Amino acid sequence: MIMADTVPLNDVRNIGIIAHIDAGKTTTTERILYYTGVIHKMGNVDDGNTTMDWMEQEQERGITITAANTTCFWNKKKINIIDTPGHVDFTMEVERSLKVLDGAVVVLCATSGVQSQTETVWRQADRYGVPRVAFINKLDRLGASFERVLGEIHERLGANAAAIQFPNASEEAFNAIVDIVENNYRIYKNDVGDDIEVTDIPEAFKAKTQDLRRKLIERLADADDKIAELYLEEKEITKEELKAAIRRSVVKNAFLPVLCGSSLKNKGVQLLLDAVCDYLPSPLDLPPVRGIDPSSKGEITRDVDPNAPLSALIFKVATDPYVGKLFYTRLYSGTITQGTQIYNASEQKRERVSKILIMHANKQEIVNKASAGEIIALVGLKESKSGNTLCDSEKMILIENMRIPEPVVSMSIEPKTKADQDKLGLTLRKFLDEDPSLRVDYDQETAQTIISGMGELHLEIIIDRMKREFGLETRVGRPEVAYKETLTQKVMGVVGKHISQTGGRGQYGHVVINVEPAEEKGKGIVFVDKIKGGSIPREYIKPIEKGIMVAAQTGVLAGYPVVDFTVTLVDGSYHEVDSSELAFQLAARNALKEALQKGKSVFLEPIMDIEVISPEGFMGAVLGDLNQRRAKIVSMGNRGSLKMARCDVPLAEMFNYVNAVRSLTQGRASFSMEPAYYDQVPVYIAEKIIGARQDHLANRKN
């Protein structure tokens, strides 16, 4: 084993394994750990004994719930790996992992191809500009097709991709890989995958190799000027020139090399490791990290240098039963030493680092210091949260936080005993620190605590963890859709006043606002201050904005949050003695409530992108059922011998769909679902929502 501190930065790879659920991410990571010598016995997802799926819930369900990271070495390169979940309910884990990674391996199933969640993680990687390689997995399975999946990578992901390997066959006959770049043939001689015979390419595959090599060079020519020049001049391109061009093109995110194998059958994983080392970037290959100077608000950068001022991002917080909170941190520049003091620029607090850990799934290795390019866990921080920037107090920087997805499902929760009420609050606070995609609200009308998340499974896992980790038994309501409200018409000159005189100093606040629907959906709430001539003093503008934001948390139709509108503060007045921040805050709240009444508010509901794959004989019944669920069919097609339908369907119609689709297809269909967008609720559905809300309130009072 090579010691971590002897590895130069250009030999470090910070990578993630990303994919749709059940494409084989965790199995691939398990094989990587075996071949790099980290583990000496390969675990299995079905047996619940893989290294990275260490949570009890992961082992029981056979899915990855939380992103786990570990470190291994291959070809003298240090590889920090994060294995991410594939289930849409845990998309926040993927989001925050991609924010801090330098490269990613996109795993695709050779039978299912590019699936809906594949597209989601691809878009997430695009958002953060993460260079990628693709690994077409499960080539041993019935219906596997390397060529079909390669075509889908072009069509559905829009990637400039080309094969750098291809399999000798599919399904049970798959036992060798043709390496187009190295120009050789690798035969897997045993089940463990470590006895590999390397030979010349057989005659039967030479024509296909030449054809795919030509396509590889053509794709590279679109991304790399040096290869384009050699290609146009019809010069011979050497193996070294080809590999260098692939690396340059991958690093600048202009090309996707496609590899193949079967992780479960131990084929192709070593070649994938070679590709990670050869083609994915080191921290030095990427641009300096960008951030904001908190004092000047101007953009600044930090070079990837252990001697530069410190800049680091806390991308995840987890609770360990032995050491307490773990703050997973990516170091972009500078060095952190155990026992030293650092500055949290987001919270404007000083923190002391008591321990620095290198994580191996749920196991820990204590180190004295860590430098730029490392992914570590810190212990001892008191005020820090996920998304916070750590830096030097003299050279401050604020790094942009990761995007936090909006929750789509809510449920009420209460402890089974009154004695546990305080314990519930403390436990939920710990989960909120860990998981930014979880929301907790208190409904004043129903006197209930409401938790909201990315789906039923997300909330189910939270409830299960409360019981197992904290011994907290709870009662929960049925899952409900996280509806939103928005207004449909512009409302001008709405007056809001708060005037109170009860003896002594009174309260006086008076605002005039214009409210209009947002031009672009998803922008949230925009507050514009157009006060001129001092009609409202500057110190009351922030309280007015706060009053708007507070009022927007409970809409006028059924108390759901109001989104996607612009409020412009145009006028108002104040009293020199009686005006206060509270008075203006309450005046703003009153004004917005009236504006929402006049602006004809409507409900918005989350629409899901669902992809169903079924044998042809059952597809008619599946589509008939989806039509009853208000689905709009977006596209239909084939997946090998199976039929595929892709639809937009309201989440409200999809609770317990898994049992329905199993019943309709004798358990032979599969589906995946993810949030797509919010859309207006039909009038007859809106009336039901309001009626149900009123019934609920009446029942609570009784």
Side-chain angles (χ1 to χ4, degrees):
M1 179 67 74
I2 304 166
M3 294 301 293
D5 56 5
T6 66
V7 178
L9 261 179
N10 63 340
D11 286 339
V12 172
R13 303 288 182 270
N14 294 313
I15 68 162
I17 313 291
I18 61 175
H20 185 93
I21 190 170
D22 203 33
K25 296 177 302 302
T26 300
T27 302
T28 301
T29 308
E30 188 77 2
R31 284 0 181 216
I32 286 173
L33 296 180
Y34 176 79
Y35 293 124
T36 56
V38 174
I39 59 175
H40 302 290
K41 182 183 178 184
M42 288 182 274
N44 228 314
V45 171
D46 291 339
D47 297 334
N49 60 355
T50 58
T51 306
M52 303 302 268
D53 283 354
W54 56 269
M55 290 175 63
E56 289 179 23
Q57 291 91 339
E58 292 175 319
Q59 293 166 356
E60 290 169 1
R61 297 164 191 262
I63 61 170
T64 301
I65 292 170
T66 182
N69 66 297
T70 190
T71 300
C72 60
F73 293 84
W74 185 256
N75 291 347
K76 297 183 179 179
K77 301 285 193 292
K78 178 183 179 182
I79 307 173
N80 296 317
I81 304 173
I82 297 183
D83 176 32
T84 66
H87 198 288
V88 65
D89 282 24
F90 309 107
T91 189
M92 185 64 215
E93 292 289 314
V94 185
E95 190 81 28
R96 55 184 171 192
S97 298
L98 286 171
K99 169 70 178 172
V100 300
L101 290 170
D102 301 330
V105 176
V106 184
V107 181
L108 301 109
C109 173
T111 55
S112 302
V114 175
Q115 297 167 276
S116 58
Q117 188 67 8
T118 317
E119 294 182 52
T120 300
V121 297
W122 185 267
R123 288 193 298 269
Q124 288 173 304
D126 276 345
R127 189 182 304 124
Y128 296 115
V130 179
R132 282 146 269 178
V133 301
F135 179 65
I136 298 178
N137 188 27
K138 301 190 177 183
L139 278 162
D140 59 299
R141 289 180 60 172
L142 190 67
S145 171
F146 179 79
E147 288 76 14
R148 175 172 54 79
V149 179
L150 182 59
E152 288 182 10
I153 291 172
H154 291 297
E155 294 160 19
R156 297 185 61 177
L157 301 180
N160 179 31
I164 61 171
Q165 307 163 0
F166 66 91
N168 70 321
S170 293
E171 303 179 359
E172 289 183 2
F174 170 52
N175 70 343
I177 292 174
V178 180
D179 192 320
I180 299 166
V181 177
E182 297 288 344
N183 199 35
N184 59 28
Y185 187 69
R186 293 168 178 263
I187 307 165
Y188 290 84
K189 309 286 284 185
N190 65 357
D191 291 339
V192 180
D194 56 3
D195 184 3
I196 305 169
E197 182 183 346
V198 181
T199 68
D200 292 335
I201 297 173
E203 199 64 39
F205 297 112
K206 282 188 176 176
K208 184 175 181 179
T209 304
Q210 286 301 316
D211 181 50
L212 288 176
R213 190 175 193 275
R214 179 181 53 78
K215 288 179 180 175
L216 168 62
I217 291 170
E218 285 174 359
R219 292 277 179 180
L220 275 174
D222 291 336
D224 188 79
D225 291 340
K226 289 184 182 178
I227 288 292
E229 189 178 324
L230 293 169
Y231 176 64
L232 291 171
E233 293 175 0
E234 298 184 355
K235 290 183 177 178
E236 182 63 31
I237 298 171
T238 66
K239 178 181 76 173
E240 288 71 27
E241 288 171 330
L242 197 56
K243 290 180 79 168
I246 293 172
R247 178 172 177 76
R248 287 194 300 271
S249 303
V250 169
V251 167
K252 66 183 182 183
N253 230 342
F255 177 69
L256 179 77
V258 181
L259 299 90
C260 64
S262 168
S263 298
L264 186 64
K265 300 293 178 158
N266 310 311
K267 295 178 177 68
V269 178
Q270 296 98 325
L271 286 172
L272 175 61
L273 277 164
D274 289 343
V276 165
C277 295
D278 291 341
Y279 305 133
L280 288 179
S282 76
L284 292 174
D285 293 317
L286 298 175
V289 66
R290 296 177 180 274
I292 301 294
D293 184 332
S295 54
S296 69
K297 305 300 180 187
E299 186 176 88
I300 53 176
T301 60
R302 289 278 190 272
D303 290 329
V304 183
D305 181 354
N307 300 313
L310 175 67
S311 64
L313 182 72
I314 298 171
F315 65 95
K316 177 176 174 176
V317 179
T319 303
D320 183 273
Y322 303 106
V323 299
K325 278 188 183 178
L326 298 172
F327 297 84
Y328 287 77
T329 304
R330 167 66 196 262
L331 283 172
Y332 290 103
S333 65
T335 300
I336 293 180
T337 306
Q338 182 176 309
T340 57
Q341 203 174 69
I342 54 178
Y343 188 73
N344 183 324
S346 307
E347 303 294 327
Q348 299 180 359
K349 303 276 188 182
R350 293 185 184 276
E351 295 274 36
R352 183 170 294 280
V353 178
S354 61
K355 284 183 186 173
I356 302 171
L357 306 174
I358 303 292
M359 299 301 297
H360 301 282
N362 62 331
K363 297 182 174 61
Q364 304 151 3
E365 173 191 344
I366 299 175
V367 293
N368 291 324
K369 68 176 184 177
S371 299
E374 291 292 322
I375 294 175
I376 55 171
L378 300 176
V379 178
L381 311 187
K382 303 296 183 188
E383 307 289 340
S384 297
K385 301 181 182 117
S386 178
N388 284 180
T389 301
L390 303 176
C391 61
D392 288 346
S393 57
E394 302 299 318
K395 296 277 183 75
M396 287 191 283
I397 185 173
L398 266 174
I399 300 169
E400 184 186 12
N401 197 356
M402 68 283 291
R403 174 180 166 273
I404 300 171
E406 284 290 319
V408 295
V409 174
S410 302
M411 63 170 62
S412 61
I413 181 171
E414 59 185 27
K416 282 192 174 177
T417 64
K418 291 284 185 186
D420 280 340
Q421 190 65 51
D422 290 342
K423 189 176 181 181
L424 175 66
L426 292 170
T427 304
L428 285 173
R429 171 53 54 194
K430 289 178 180 176
F431 282 114
L432 285 170
D433 288 343
E434 287 185 23
D435 186 354
S437 65
L438 179 69
R439 304 281 169 85
V440 177
D441 297 294
Y442 185 75
D443 191 323
Q444 298 286 350
E445 292 186 64
T446 62
Q448 288 180 313
T449 300
I450 308 294
I451 59 172
S452 305
M454 298 307 299
E456 288 181 86
L457 181 61
H458 183 198
L459 299 182
E460 192 182 311
I461 295 295
I462 295 289
I463 302 299
D464 190 42
R465 287 185 60 196
M466 282 184 179
K467 182 179 177 181
R468 295 193 195 203
E469 295 175 25
F470 300 97
L472 181 60
E473 297 276 358
T474 57
R475 280 191 292 265
V476 296
R478 60 184 292 274
E480 295 181 0
V481 174
Y483 291 106
K484 294 181 180 178
E485 298 179 22
T486 194
L487 74 168
T488 56
Q489 294 183 1
K490 184 185 293 188
V491 187
M492 308 297 284
V494 182
V495 177
K497 287 185 177 180
H498 178 73
I499 302 173
S500 174
Q501 194 70 48
T502 55
R505 181 178 172 178
Q507 292 285 345
Y508 182 91
H510 167 221
V511 300
V512 182
I513 60 173
N514 298 335
V515 185
E516 54 191 312
E519 292 181 5
E520 188 179 340
K521 299 301 179 190
K523 283 293 184 184
I525 303 168
V526 178
F527 177 79
V528 180
D529 170 24
K530 286 197 174 176
I531 289 295
K532 293 178 182 175
S535 57
I536 298 177
R538 303 309 305 165
E539 64 262 28
Y540 298 135
I541 302 300
K542 277 289 181 190
I544 292 169
E545 182 179 0
K546 183 179 179 183
I548 296 292
M549 298 302 173
V550 170
Q553 294 303 308
T554 50
V556 295
L557 295 178
Y560 292 107
V562 189
V563 296
D564 295 339
F565 65 92
T566 299
V567 176
T568 306
L569 178 63
V570 293
D571 202 1
S573 63
Y574 74 104
H575 189 281
E576 293 209 1
V577 176
D578 292 348
S579 285
S580 66
E581 291 187 1
L582 178 62
F584 274 101
Q585 187 176 325
L586 293 172
R589 290 172 66 176
N590 296 338
L592 184 64
K593 291 293 183 188
E594 185 178 338
L596 294 174
Q597 296 278 9
K598 292 179 177 178
K600 296 194 175 177
S601 285
V602 295
F603 284 117
L604 298 175
E605 63 180 342
I607 305 297
M608 309 302 283
D609 177 358
I610 178 173
E611 187 176 87
V612 185
I613 298 171
S614 167
E616 187 171 2
F618 299 106
M619 188 51 84
V622 169
L623 292 176
D625 178 68
L626 285 169
N627 283 330
Q628 291 181 348
R629 297 172 186 268
R630 298 192 281 136
K632 295 176 186 173
I633 297 173
V634 176
S635 64
M636 296 187 67
N638 299 316
R639 285 289 171 86
S641 61
L642 302 173
K643 291 290 181 183
M644 180 276 293
R646 194 161 186 179
C647 311
D648 288 346
V649 59
L651 174 62
E653 308 290 345
M654 297 303 290
F655 287 119
N656 206 29
Y657 181 66
V658 62
N659 291 330
V661 80
R662 281 175 186 161
S663 175
L664 287 168
T665 64
Q666 298 174 9
R668 295 176 63 191
S670 63
F671 77 96
S672 58
M673 187 169 67
E674 63 179 64
Y677 55 92
Y678 269 80
D679 202 8
Q680 188 171 331
V681 175
V683 174
Y684 72 96
I685 300 289
E687 290 170 351
K688 289 181 183 177
I689 296 169
I690 294 171
R693 178 76 170 177
Q694 290 170 343
D695 291 345
H696 184 62
L697 288 171
N699 291 336
R700 293 290 297 182
K701 286 174 184 175
N702 293 334

